[in-house]
Amino acid sequence: MGLHVGIIMDGNGRWAQGRGLMRTQGHLEGLKAAKQVVKAASGMGIDFLTLYVFSTENWKRTAEEVGFIMGLVRQYLKAEFAFASENHIRVRHAGDLSRLPPDVAEDIADVCRDTESFTGMQVILALNYGGRDEIVRAVNKALAGVSGKEIKINETVITEHLDNPDIPDPDLIIRTAGEYRTSNFLLWEAAYAEYYISDKLWPDWTAADLAEAIESFQKRERRFGGVNSASCEARVSL
Ligand code: IPE
Ligand code: IPE
Ligand code: MG
């Protein structure tokens, strides 16, 4: 089927606060949900799964919370490597690696390299990712590639210089915790993505919720700016 699903995993803090716990506890539970979802996704016809882990705006949070999330990422990469290799899962990164703590950037680069030849599902970790930042970096990469010469920026040039140009645009973007906004996720790539908003907080999200989201997506009619076949027929018969 070749589906690309992106998930804005939101609501970890609210999950913890609702239980009188520290926000960091919510991130720990969120990690557990992420593991479950990755495990379930490849069996659901998903070829590309992009997880929004940390945005370019999330640096506004306390050093304690940011440090905790970075620690969890490193822990996740180590703990899940065996699962990735057994299931031929390729791990990739989207975002600005150069502005991450060096140890985190190194771990990500290592796992991306070590899973590069795997041909199963691809899991893209959007970490220090911002849609605007990605577009700006893409334009700068394009300009740097032709130094001294004039370049005309068009959609193809930008698309070819995104973080993962070979990955197809997302078909479905899920956001948990009931917020109706993109928060800078895949701005360029999501031009024709279908959105699915769930009120559930991310730590409560399960494989069954993912299945429900995909089922809802499969009922959508995507027109990409064109007209559907039924309205074509109606026009012909007029
Ligand atoms: C999502 O949960 C995780 C990250 C943004 C890193 P939040 O931490 O944003 O949780 P809420 O939105 O405060 O509930
Ligand atoms: C989006 O969630 C970023 C991630 C899930 C990593 P935020 O919690 O940062 O988004 P806002 O601040 O509610 O828009
Ligand atoms: Mg949030």
Side-chain angles (χ1 to χ4, degrees):
M1 191 161 51
L3 265 191
H4 181 177
V5 175
I7 310 184
I8 303 172
M9 308 181 291
D10 198 18
N12 293 350
R14 276 164 279 177
W15 184 92
Q17 278 156 354
R19 287 167 176 73
L21 301 168
M22 304 272 288
R23 290 180 59 83
T24 48
Q25 199 62 33
H27 295 310
L28 195 59
E29 289 304 312
L31 173 65
K32 292 184 192 162
K35 287 182 184 172
Q36 295 298 319
V37 164
V38 169
K39 290 190 171 137
S42 64
M44 293 185 190
I46 297 175
D47 282 349
F48 303 92
L49 179 68
T50 301
L51 299 176
Y52 204 5
V53 179
F54 191 88
S55 76
T56 46
E57 287 71 48
N58 287 148
W59 298 105
K60 292 175 190 164
R61 300 185 180 201
T62 64
E64 189 204 359
E65 184 171 346
V66 170
F68 189 85
I69 293 169
M70 296 298 160
L72 278 186
V73 169
R74 297 191 69 197
Q75 209 178 300
Y76 173 78
L77 294 175
K78 282 198 175 64
E80 295 302 293
F81 186 76
F83 177 80
S85 29
E86 277 159 29
N87 294 279
H88 314 284
I89 293 175
R90 180 174 175 191
V91 179
R92 301 180 72 172
H93 173 255
D96 190 350
L97 210 53
S98 72
R99 284 168 201 229
L100 276 168
D103 51 359
V104 180
E106 211 172 292
D107 284 356
I108 292 173
D110 285 350
V111 75
C112 290
R113 193 198 50 236
D114 294 344
T115 62
E116 201 172 17
S117 61
F118 294 167
T119 54
M121 182 173 74
Q122 302 198 15
V123 175
I124 302 100
L125 302 176
L127 183 68
N128 191 24
Y129 177 87
R132 288 184 172 184
D133 179 65
E134 184 186 26
I135 296 166
V136 169
R137 287 185 295 103
V139 171
N140 280 321
K141 279 185 237 171
L143 295 175
V146 293
S147 67
K149 278 184 259 160
E150 238 181 68
I151 180 173
K152 196 163 161 36
I153 298 290
N154 58 31
E155 289 191 15
T156 309
V157 169
I158 293 184
T159 303
E160 282 172 350
H161 291 87
L162 293 174
D163 290 339
N164 296 295
D166 58 305
I167 295 181
D169 284 346
D171 300 289
L172 170 65
I173 292 187
I174 296 167
R175 181 162 188 152
T176 62
E179 231 71 75
Y180 287 71
R181 54 177 172 261
T182 69
S183 301
N184 210 3
F185 187 48
L186 302 178
L187 294 186
W188 182 271
E189 299 89 332
Y192 273 99
E194 297 291 326
Y195 280 86
Y196 180 90
I197 314 286
S198 161
D199 282 337
K200 266 199 186 179
L201 304 175
W202 177 249
D204 293 327
W205 189 265
T206 63
D209 296 307
L210 180 63
E212 213 172 289
I214 290 177
E215 202 181 310
S216 155
F217 164 78
Q218 280 161 344
K219 291 186 192 133
R220 311 270 180 98
E221 186 194 78
R222 304 179 78 189
R223 289 190 292 276
F224 299 97
V227 284
N228 65 30
S229 47
S231 66
C232 274
E233 281 160 28
R235 197 183 46 188
V236 170
S237 64
L238 275 178

